[in-house]
Amino acid sequence: MSVSIAEVQVEHHESGFGISHTAPRLSWRFGPSTVKDWTQASYEVVVTRNGKDEQYKVDSAESVLVPWPSKPLSSRESATVKVRAIGKDGTSTDWKEAKLELGLLEEEQWKGDLISCPRRQVDEPKRPFRVWKEFKVDKAGRAGLYATAHGIYEATLNGKRIGDQVLAPGWQSYKHYLAYQIYDVTDLLVSGTNVLGAYVGEGWYATRLGRPGERNLWGDRPAFLGQLEVDGNVVVKTDSSWVWADGPVITSEIYDGETVDTRLDDETWWKAKGSPVEVLGKPKGKLVSRDAPPVRRLLEVKPKEVITTKSGKKVLDFGQNLVGWVRIDKDFSGKEGTITIRHAEVMEHGELGVRPLRTAKATDEIILGGRTKGWEPKFTFHGFRYAEVSGVDVDLDSFTAVVVYSDMRRTGTFHSSHSAINQLHSNVVWSMMGNFVSVPTDCPQRDERLGWTGDIQAFAPTANFLFDTAGFLGGWLNDVDVEQRLDHNNIPPEVVPKVTMNKRPVRPMAIWADVVALTPWDLYEAFGDEHLLSQQWESMCLWLDKGLPRRSTGLWDHRAVQYGDWLDPRAPPQLPAHGLTDTHLAADAYLVWTTGIVAKIAHVLGKEAEAKRWDKNYADVLREFRLEYVSANGRLVSDTQTAIALALRFGLIEGEKQREHSRERLEYLVRWDAFKISTGFAGTPNILHALADNGLLHLAYRMLQEKDDPSWLYPVGMGATTIWERWNSMLPDGSINPGQMTSFNHYALGAVASFLHAVVGGLSPLEPGYRTALVQPQPGGTITSAKVRYDSPYGPYAVDWTLNGEQLEVKVEVPPNGKAKVVLPGVEETIGSGTREYNVKWEGDKRWPPKLLPGPSSIQMPDEYVP
């Protein structure tokens, strides 16, 4: 197979259309190839601007984020880029093309104002409204719409929906930024009379958010802003000449759902007479076009079963916990009454399990009398597997679940011989999709759905493998940075965008706030972009220098309240921070680790004076941590799985003697706990890696394969299709955990997938951005085969291994211009592109299966482990 370029990417943008970079860096991923040891010697770029070609040839092996070769681009400018790569062997790829277009780079280029209907009742849900404007063009040319809203909008031209985005413009820190979208509407524009319109809902901007819930956190006037240009000239903009009217949607809230009166639906609403809009002026937030992909409808799921509950209700089971909404596929226009759709993630004792929703209603109501076929909500979304439908007859053909999430490119996959672990991995993927709706949220169903910083900090390595998150998380980190610096006295908020929780101010919180350094570093390791580090540099330094309250030793001030190892399974249901591990030990462990990462970042960025300062700071806090928490023999004062895992994983134990003692103690605790997990948010991402890295791989596999509560496979055995917030969100008797924090779609504990990818599958980055990958599968437990694939910035890496008796058969795939270090029994070599196969002698771990410690006779070792 010859070498080819699969895609040319512009910065971290999904398409290059609507970018904000005047000198965008270019990358090209290579497709799969069997050509061995192919490396790039040079590349050629043809940039076409204003009909003229500019040709460039660069002698370089770089293919990721190479500099823009031409002069800077300007607002609205379009260009076509063609790239081909030439190998050291003299062969070259075919040309691969990418088209790009810049957005509006200067504030003064925005000619319109935010427009709205008259002020609604401030303390109530705000009814969505329509705005529109009739205009004429003499000749339909190249037409583009620039649009955004305070709230959520859906734009139309001549009654036809514009684009495929939903929930636009997404959620952001409105006080500082307002993302806008660009649409090519050339095909919708006609010569003569046209009508540009938009349907506007309150979205995240003015709805009830947080707990117990507060409205209008950024404003109480949902509004639309847009301008349509033809051949670069503004032909219509939002101003006082527009009109407005109510539409068929009566209310629509993020938490509570949508109510629509189909009798008010008018297919020609844009031809009606409206009332003058009110002009609100310019937005406060800076108008930006981000690299983050938009939210789209990406999957459809048909119901698997109609359940009749004990109380006689009809419930659709879609077979998968998901995020989106229910679409009606049947025409009920001849009926009267109301269709009510209640959403929930689980059934409890034969009825819809709505208690975990807390105060969120998660209910859609469709008043009949008009068209229903094709109806779906416009301004809300739900997290659900089950939908209780009343008001009409219910069957499998009349409804479809529409799955929405931010349209990131899927990059990583995993599969093994163990069906339950495969289901666990599927659960991780579905939880990530459901919680990556505009911002990385903690849960998609209840009265929360917030951008908790600790959750994504724990999960980022897994997220970065499964999907291309560079644009998505890079944009969100900009909001973290600006809210930290300008709003919260250098303290990163616990949730971003910041939502008031129980009226309390922002608190400095270890592990959560450490996202400002740890997540940029994780992004750098996955995508190799130093800019992701430099843009967050000030944020991470301000946190450690000014935001974090310290004692004289440099460690955390003991008066600071901490979440610690949040949701340790031993914590009481109503006190999720009261786990076994000392909260300040966990906080200080992360402080040492974060400080060390910041020192590494300084070196990467060439900030040598800063690197020297942070290296010393790291040495100082590491010394103080050891004095405070580690005995002379290596025993930690907090004797838990989490404490020891953090100490080993973060290099906090000094000397081999102390490390050996800690390893022995961790082994004891894992056996004593009968291989059940006893970690929360702090320990879970680290526990299996700590075991594997310290000669206890057999215990890591035994813990991974444990099926009883608490364990990763317990929810799988209970029928879970997403990751739960608690290890036992559902109790064995089918009752929902009594704790208030009980979500059935919560990705944090799914951080275990990084172990599946790197250790079980055997694929991880050895150099940032997978310039060189590490291939080191480590079979164990009862898993006899596994395959993992990652479409890196260079192209696809893959590892496929099978145990065949005493032989380990491994197939490795490396993309053109990539390298991999292969570490197998008797093999340690670095290879170039192509496919290679290895067949090596494999000695099974004689410690498998590991024995329990002597204990109560009620604790029995399972006889077997069924994949």
Side-chain angles (χ1 to χ4, degrees):
M1 185 186 296
S2 61
V3 177
S4 63
I5 294 175
E7 182 185 37
V8 176
Q9 190 171 19
V10 182
E11 286 290 335
H12 296 292
H13 198 276
E14 64 158 359
S15 68
F17 182 76
I19 62 171
S20 58
H21 309 273
T22 58
R25 297 168 297 171
L26 305 175
S27 303
W28 45 96
R29 293 195 325 277
F30 294 94
S33 176
T34 57
V35 177
K36 287 190 175 181
D37 300 323
W38 192 95
T39 56
Q40 179 183 291
S42 61
Y43 62 87
E44 295 177 343
V45 179
V46 177
V47 179
T48 304
R49 302 173 64 172
N50 300 316
K52 296 181 180 180
D53 289 345
E54 304 173 6
Q55 298 186 359
Y56 304 91
K57 183 174 181 180
V58 181
D59 293 328
S60 171
E62 298 297 327
S63 58
V64 175
L65 299 167
V66 304
W68 176 247
S70 183
K71 293 185 296 185
L73 298 160
S74 58
S75 288
R76 306 182 178 90
E77 185 174 357
S78 299
T80 300
V81 177
K82 292 195 302 183
V83 177
R84 73 172 176 182
I86 299 94
K88 289 183 178 180
D89 61 1
T91 62
S92 65
T93 68
D94 290 336
W95 292 95
K96 191 69 175 181
E97 182 179 286
K99 295 182 178 179
L100 55 100
E101 179 176 322
L102 265 68
L104 302 180
L105 304 181
E106 306 295 335
E107 292 288 331
E108 58 268 20
Q109 292 171 328
W110 284 90
K111 305 303 180 183
D113 289 308
L114 289 161
I115 58 172
S116 185
C117 65
R119 186 185 297 273
R120 307 286 197 181
Q121 186 70 32
V122 173
D123 58 354
E124 294 180 359
K126 295 158 189 66
R127 181 173 181 173
F129 58 91
R130 285 171 166 156
V131 293
W132 67 96
K133 162 79 174 181
E134 183 179 294
F135 65 99
K136 292 183 178 181
V137 292
D138 295 332
K139 183 179 180 181
R142 173 76 167 81
L145 172 66
Y146 304 83
T148 188
H150 280 166
I152 294 172
Y153 76 95
E154 179 182 282
T156 59
L157 185 56
N158 299 323
K160 297 180 180 178
R161 195 179 188 282
I162 297 172
D164 60 0
Q165 302 186 21
V166 296
L167 305 176
W171 190 11
Q172 52 252 285
S173 297
Y174 300 100
K175 180 180 175 181
H176 305 288
Y177 294 114
L178 181 58
Y180 68 89
Q181 291 69 50
I182 307 173
Y183 307 91
D184 185 343
V185 295
T186 304
D187 293 341
L188 296 178
L189 193 69
V190 299
S191 297
T193 301
N194 294 265
V195 180
L196 177 63
Y199 208 166
V200 185
E202 65 183 20
W204 292 273
Y205 180 78
T207 197
R208 172 174 68 93
L209 289 173
R211 190 162 59 96
E214 184 178 350
R215 296 191 184 278
N216 313 311
L217 290 174
W218 293 276
D220 60 12
R221 302 289 300 275
F224 176 68
L225 171 64
Q227 65 189 47
L228 190 147
E229 300 184 359
V230 178
D231 295 330
N233 299 310
V234 178
V235 296
V236 62
K237 61 184 184 286
T238 46
D239 57 21
S240 60
S241 64
W242 286 55
V243 295
W244 79 277
D246 286 325
V249 181
I250 307 302
T251 61
S252 191
E253 299 176 85
I254 297 295
Y255 290 164
D256 290 343
E258 190 160 298
T259 298
V260 61
D261 188 340
T262 63
R263 298 169 300 180
L264 303 179
D265 193 13
D266 181 1
E267 293 186 58
T268 60
W269 61 266
W270 46 281
K271 296 180 180 179
K273 181 179 180 181
S275 302
V277 298
E278 293 188 7
V279 177
L280 305 185
K282 305 294 183 184
K284 292 182 179 179
K286 180 181 179 181
L287 289 159
V288 294
S289 178
R290 285 183 161 166
D291 290 336
V295 181
R296 293 190 173 101
R297 304 174 182 86
L298 292 169
L299 295 169
E300 293 187 356
V301 178
K302 293 297 292 185
K304 309 299 182 186
E305 180 184 4
V306 177
I307 300 170
T308 302
T309 72
K310 295 178 181 178
S311 63
K313 303 290 186 180
K314 299 293 184 180
V315 176
L316 295 170
D317 177 6
F318 289 94
Q320 173 65 54
N321 197 15
L322 56 88
V323 172
W325 47 72
V326 173
R327 184 183 67 222
I328 299 176
D329 294 330
K330 186 175 181 179
D331 182 8
F332 292 109
S333 59
K335 296 183 177 294
E336 296 182 353
T338 300
I339 299 175
T340 300
I341 306 175
R342 300 172 66 215
H343 304 80
E345 296 180 297
V346 294
M347 302 290 287
E348 184 178 28
H349 304 309
E351 299 291 343
L352 201 67
V354 296
R355 186 176 61 79
L357 301 177
R358 300 190 302 213
T359 65
K361 295 178 182 178
T363 300
D364 294 332
E365 295 182 313
I366 304 93
I367 300 171
L368 299 173
R371 292 181 303 125
T372 59
K373 188 173 183 179
W375 175 88
E376 59 186 59
K378 292 183 181 295
F379 308 111
T380 191
F381 62 93
H382 308 287
F384 66 101
R385 170 176 172 169
Y386 300 93
E388 181 188 284
V389 181
S390 59
V392 293
D393 293 334
V394 180
D395 59 62
L396 297 178
D397 296 326
S398 298
F399 302 91
T400 297
V402 178
V403 179
V404 306
Y405 57 92
S406 291
D407 191 9
M408 303 164 292
R409 181 176 64 91
R410 180 71 187 271
T411 51
T413 59
F414 170 88
H415 187 81
S416 76
S417 61
H418 198 299
S419 59
I421 290 175
N422 294 339
Q423 182 62 53
L424 171 66
H425 192 269
S426 174
N427 294 358
V428 174
V429 174
W430 276 95
S431 276
M432 178 175 173
M433 293 190 300
N435 282 290
F436 275 54
V437 178
S438 185
V439 302
T441 57
D442 63 327
C443 58
Q445 73 298 100
R446 68 185 179 216
D447 55 353
E448 198 161 348
R449 317 185 195 192
L450 306 178
W452 283 92
T453 51
D455 300 55
I456 190 59
Q457 182 277 122
F459 188 71
T462 294
N464 299 341
F465 187 92
L466 294 174
F467 289 86
D468 184 345
T469 59
F472 179 92
L473 290 179
W476 176 76
L477 282 168
N478 286 337
D479 282 357
V480 177
D481 166 56
V482 73
E483 289 204 5
Q484 171 196 359
R485 288 188 295 108
L486 302 182
D487 297 340
H488 301 297
N489 197 30
N490 302 313
I491 301 171
E494 299 153 75
V495 296
V496 177
K498 181 66 181 79
V499 170
T500 302
M501 295 294 286
N502 297 321
K503 306 294 184 181
R504 66 173 180 244
V506 168
R507 299 181 298 185
M509 193 65 63
I511 304 171
W512 276 250
D514 293 324
V515 72
V516 298
L518 300 184
T519 299
W521 180 253
D522 290 333
L523 287 169
Y524 171 65
E525 290 201 311
F527 303 108
D529 186 2
E530 292 182 14
H531 177 67
L532 293 170
L533 300 177
S534 62
Q535 75 177 12
Q536 303 302 132
W537 174 253
E538 183 180 4
S539 172
M540 60 186 80
C541 291
L542 286 173
W543 162 235
L544 293 180
D545 280 335
K546 297 182 178 181
L548 193 155
R550 300 176 186 258
R551 289 183 286 161
S552 59
T553 61
L555 298 179
W556 269 89
D557 187 332
H558 276 186
R559 294 169 296 181
V561 176
Q562 296 292 334
Y563 290 139
D565 198 26
W566 183 256
L567 288 170
D568 172 340
R570 304 284 179 85
Q574 302 303 339
L575 296 170
H578 289 209
L580 298 182
T581 304
D582 176 3
T583 58
H584 280 77
L585 182 150
D588 285 329
Y590 268 87
L591 168 59
V592 177
W593 179 245
T594 300
T595 304
I597 292 297
V598 171
K600 289 182 179 181
I601 291 172
H603 285 291
V604 169
L605 297 178
K607 299 177 180 291
E608 292 309 319
E610 284 288 273
K612 184 177 181 180
R613 178 171 78 92
W614 286 113
D615 282 336
K616 182 181 183 304
N617 195 319
Y618 170 70
D620 290 343
V621 292
L622 176 58
R623 181 186 65 253
E624 293 298 332
F625 180 93
R626 290 168 174 169
L627 289 172
E628 180 78 11
Y629 298 110
V630 186
S631 75
N633 287 332
R635 185 80 171 262
L636 275 83
V637 298
S638 190
D639 192 33
T640 66
Q641 289 184 15
T642 287
I644 302 173
L646 294 181
L648 290 172
R649 185 92 165 122
F650 293 172
L652 307 180
I653 307 296
E654 184 178 18
E656 181 56 32
K657 180 182 176 181
Q658 285 193 349
R659 284 193 292 272
E660 180 60 28
H661 189 85
S662 294
R663 284 193 293 266
E664 291 175 356
R665 190 62 193 164
L666 181 58
E667 178 175 7
Y668 176 88
L669 291 176
V670 169
R671 291 179 186 274
W672 177 254
D673 287 332
F675 309 108
K676 296 181 177 65
I677 193 77
S678 66
T679 61
F681 278 29
T684 296
N686 300 290
I687 180 66
L688 296 189
H689 288 287
L691 290 168
D693 294 344
N694 288 277
L696 302 173
L697 182 64
H698 63 306
L699 297 185
Y701 270 100
R702 181 60 184 86
M703 183 177 283
L704 173 65
Q705 292 188 229
E706 175 58 42
K707 299 174 183 178
D708 289 338
D709 172 36
S711 68
W712 280 286
L713 295 189
Y714 167 74
V716 172
M718 293 290 289
T721 60
T722 43
I723 298 297
W724 294 351
E725 180 176 20
R726 292 180 181 271
W727 296 104
N728 60 348
S729 286
M730 180 73 74
L731 303 181
D733 67 355
S735 300
I736 296 170
N737 189 294
Q740 285 295 303
M741 304 290 176
T742 307
S743 161
F744 291 88
N745 192 348
H746 205 103
Y747 57 64
L749 301 182
V752 67
S754 68
F755 180 84
L756 301 181
H757 303 149
V759 179
V760 181
L763 181 60
S764 59
L766 190 61
E767 292 184 272
Y770 284 80
R771 178 184 291 273
T772 302
L774 175 62
V775 173
Q776 189 178 12
Q778 300 177 60
T782 63
I783 299 176
T784 57
S785 66
K787 51 187 175 182
V788 62
R789 188 176 186 86
Y790 177 66
D791 195 2
S792 77
Y794 292 88
Y797 286 93
V799 182
D800 188 344
W801 63 263
T802 301
L803 281 176
N804 188 0
E806 294 183 353
Q807 295 299 116
L808 174 62
E809 300 168 359
V810 184
K811 183 178 180 180
V812 180
E813 180 182 335
V814 178
N817 216 33
K819 294 185 297 182
K821 181 179 180 180
V822 180
V823 180
L824 298 169
V827 175
E828 185 169 334
E829 64 177 4
T830 299
I831 61 174
S833 71
T835 301
R836 289 169 176 81
E837 297 184 5
Y838 299 86
N839 195 324
V840 299
K841 186 175 181 180
W842 180 260
E843 294 184 6
D845 194 331
K846 293 182 174 56
R847 301 171 298 177
W848 181 268
K851 300 290 191 295
L852 287 167
L853 290 174
S857 59
S858 59
I859 300 178
Q860 296 293 332
M861 181 69 179
D863 293 331
E864 60 183 12
Y865 305 92
V866 181

